[in-house]
Amino acid sequence: MRLTEVKLDDQEWDSEWFKGCYVGRLRAAEMIMGLTESLSKEGLLFCTIRHMGGKLCLLFSEDKAALKEMIEAQGEWLLQWLEEIRLCSCNEA
């Protein structure tokens, strides 16, 4: 199987969806499961994480305000797993 780049035109691509999402750079790619489990144990079930390959992950939620509040309040706690975390821009997505 050969992987190729996928090109989407503006009608297929909903960049609005990424507003309010965050991109994190994991300290190590294998830490994705630990981060996911810890969020669950902390009761932060509204936050969903998707591994984007390598050390990148996407943090998102239907409740963008709650996600922003959690990132701001739990920033130091999240840095156990993440080297950095920032708002997603459509350039990255």
Side-chain angles (χ1 to χ4, degrees):
M1 179 170 135
R2 190 172 148 210
L3 298 177
T4 59
E5 184 176 324
V6 175
K7 301 228 185 247
L8 301 173
D9 62 35
D10 290 339
Q11 293 173 343
E12 296 175 302
W13 179 250
D14 182 9
S15 62
E16 287 296 312
W17 187 88
F18 285 95
K19 287 186 178 173
C21 295
Y22 289 80
V23 174
R25 182 177 311 280
L26 295 157
R27 295 192 175 279
E30 36 304 325
M31 296 182 95
I32 190 75
M33 290 305 297
L35 175 56
T36 302
E37 290 171 6
S38 291
L39 286 171
S40 179
K41 286 179 186 174
E42 292 292 319
L44 302 170
L45 303 175
F46 62 88
C47 179
T48 304
I49 298 179
R50 290 288 179 255
H51 191 220
M52 296 170 55
K55 293 172 71 175
L56 293 179
C57 63
L58 181 71
L59 291 85
F60 63 97
S61 176
E62 292 295 320
D63 188 344
K64 306 286 188 191
L67 180 61
K68 180 180 180 186
E69 185 179 312
M70 186 271 292
I71 298 291
E72 290 171 355
Q74 304 289 337
E76 292 298 316
W77 178 79
L78 287 169
L79 292 176
Q80 295 176 62
W81 294 275
L82 302 172
E83 292 176 352
E84 69 175 313
I85 185 168
R86 58 193 156 119
L87 269 172
C88 182
S89 75
C90 290
N91 302 4
E92 294 172 295

